Amino acid sequence: LVTLNDEQFVEAARRLAENTLKNGDTFDARLDYVTTRLVSRPFENTERSIVRKVYDRLLERFKADEESAKKLVAVGESKPDAMRPVTELAAWTMTINELMNLDEVLNK
């Protein structure tokens, strides 16, 4: 549970999310950016589909509750990138946080 909830892991996920949003214009390009860094490969279509559903669910959740998105991206010592939409940044943060907890990432 530490890697899911610890402030440093959440902040690390947010920082990777910020870089992700700077380095891709589409969901697929962004996911490739993330997975290349976390598992050194792009995800296959079945994996990509699962992550897309997770991301879409999280984005809808944060759009419905922008305050929780603001609280999430404020976690940690570094300041969130104010140039990024908070709901999108929060959704990518949590998506990446989940990906960072895959066995393939933790045992890489």
Side-chain angles (χ1 to χ4, degrees):
L1 289 176
V2 169
T3 57
L4 276 173
N5 299 314
D6 184 78
E7 185 175 298
Q8 289 179 335
F9 282 91
V10 174
E11 183 178 15
R14 178 179 42 86
R15 297 291 295 158
L16 181 53
E18 290 170 348
N19 289 335
T20 298
L21 291 172
K22 292 176 189 174
N23 287 287
D25 294 333
T26 66
F27 175 84
D28 286 329
R30 290 171 176 172
L31 184 58
D32 287 344
Y33 180 84
V34 171
T35 59
T36 298
R37 275 139 193 83
L38 295 180
V39 294
S40 301
R41 68 175 178 87
F43 273 3
E44 297 175 9
N45 289 337
T46 53
E47 297 167 311
R48 189 174 296 278
S49 174
I50 293 167
V51 175
R52 182 63 196 236
K53 288 177 187 173
V54 167
Y55 171 78
D56 288 343
R57 179 180 44 86
L58 288 164
L59 184 60
E60 288 305 313
R61 175 178 172 238
F62 287 121
K63 282 182 177 180
D65 184 5
E66 195 168 321
E67 275 306 307
S68 68
K70 289 177 183 177
K71 287 179 184 177
L72 174 67
V73 301
V75 170
E77 291 185 22
S78 66
K79 301 290 182 209
D81 184 349
M83 300 300 294
R84 305 291 162 201
V86 69
T87 55
E88 189 175 25
L89 180 55
W92 273 108
T93 297
M94 289 309 299
T95 300
I96 291 169
N97 191 28
E98 289 184 27
L99 293 174
M100 287 171 56
N101 281 276
L102 294 172
D103 284 345
E104 187 174 355
V105 174
L106 296 173
N107 295 308
K108 181 174 137 182

